[in-house]
């Protein structure tokens, strides 16, 4: 068995003051509630430093066995963005003109999307996120990664929050299939395109659909000791065996 890693004392500004904790949590929730998906971007440049700092935040996400199975390709080069747009629109044409089931198109109708994706060139940055299906060791051999989809998804959440905090608008774009990104961006076969994140300053006349978000009671259940929801069984159950695939690093 490999030896455990060295450990260090946790360095984090935790506070035991309940009022401060809730205030900070509600401030963050309020800020994230202002986030909207943007499809109209200004041509205003955004510095590489801003994007790099946001990707740095994404890299702090937890991951299965700390494998960190992600790779980010940030693109500002106009010619490369053009190639990505052309390839993405080919897939979108197929999607909207036969590949997508009717129910899916009906769900998209209120948002007003179609096969045209000008934002892929208008926005100053495209960030292609790749999930590493397996890693590669010093000798070129395969190294197994764990909970890849979950880990990369958490990392993308960090990235979107960081971009929003920096004052940028974002759009998550997932043309299907996305393997053309490997070819355009020169990524190896062990990396699977996860999504394409469009980032930039929203245009002055950017418009977004009027959409509601669910309230917390609609998507969260709290099991408090003094107020158990109906149907919750208090009786202890035998512990289930742990997963052999590793754990998400705290």
């Amino acid at each position: 068995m490999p030896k455990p890693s060295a450990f260090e004392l946790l360095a984090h500004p935790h506070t035991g003051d309940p009022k401060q904790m809730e205030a900070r949590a509600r401030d963050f929730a309020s800020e994230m509630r202002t986030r909207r998906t943007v499809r109209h971007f200004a041509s205003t440049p955004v510095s590489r430093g801003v994007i790099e700092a946001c990707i740095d935040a994404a890299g702090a996400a937890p991951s299965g066995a700390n494998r960190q199975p992600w790779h980010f390709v940030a693109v500002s080069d106009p010619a490369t963005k053009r190639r990505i747009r052309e390839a993405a629109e080919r897939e979108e044409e197929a999607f909207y003109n036969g590949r997508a089931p009717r129910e899916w198109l009906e769900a998209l109708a209120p948002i007003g999307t179609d096969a045209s994706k000008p934002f892929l060139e208008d926005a100053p940055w495209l960030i292609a996120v790749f999930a590493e299906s397996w890693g590669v060791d010093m000798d070129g051999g395969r190294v197994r990664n764990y909970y890849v989809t979950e880990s990369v998804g958490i990392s993308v959440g960090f990235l979107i929050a960081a971009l929003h905090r920096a004052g940028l608008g974002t759009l998550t774009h997932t043309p299907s299939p996305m393997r053309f990104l490997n070819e355009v961006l020169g990524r190896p076969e062990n990396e699977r395109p996860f999504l394409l994140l469009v980032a930039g300053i929203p245009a002055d006349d950017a418009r977004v659909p009027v959409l509601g978000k669910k309230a917390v009671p609609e998507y969260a259940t709290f099991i408090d000791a003094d107020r158990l929801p109906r149907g919750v069984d208090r009786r202890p159950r035998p512990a289930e065996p742990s997963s052999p695939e590793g754990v998400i690093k705290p």
Side-chain angles (χ1 to χ4, degrees), residues 205-226:
D205 60 349
R207 298 171 65 85
V208 295
V210 178
L211 301 173
K213 294 290 186 180
K214 294 179 180 179
V216 172
E218 297 180 86
Y219 59 82
T221 299
F222 291 83
I223 301 179
D224 297 322
D226 57 342

Side-chain angles (χ1 to χ4, degrees), residues 165-217:
R165 183 68 185 271
L168 300 179
T170 58
L171 167 74
T172 51
H173 184 47
T174 53
S176 180
M178 289 191 288
R179 271 294 180 183
F180 65 84
L181 288 172
N182 289 73
E183 179 182 352
V184 173
L185 301 176
R187 301 312 305 164
E189 65 174 349
N190 67 311
E191 294 183 8
R192 170 177 53 85
F194 189 80
L195 60 75
L196 194 57
L197 192 60
V198 185
I201 296 173
D204 290 338
D205 60 349
R207 298 171 65 85
V208 295
V210 178
L211 301 173
K213 294 290 186 180
K214 294 179 180 179
V216 172

Side-chain angles (χ1 to χ4, degrees), residues 39-71:
R39 290 180 171 81
H40 303 93
F41 292 88
S43 59
T44 309
V46 174
S47 74
R48 171 175 168 168
V50 172
I51 302 302
E52 188 171 345
C54 292
I55 292 176
D56 184 32
S63 61
N66 197 33
R67 294 289 199 218
Q68 304 166 65
W70 45 66
H71 191 90

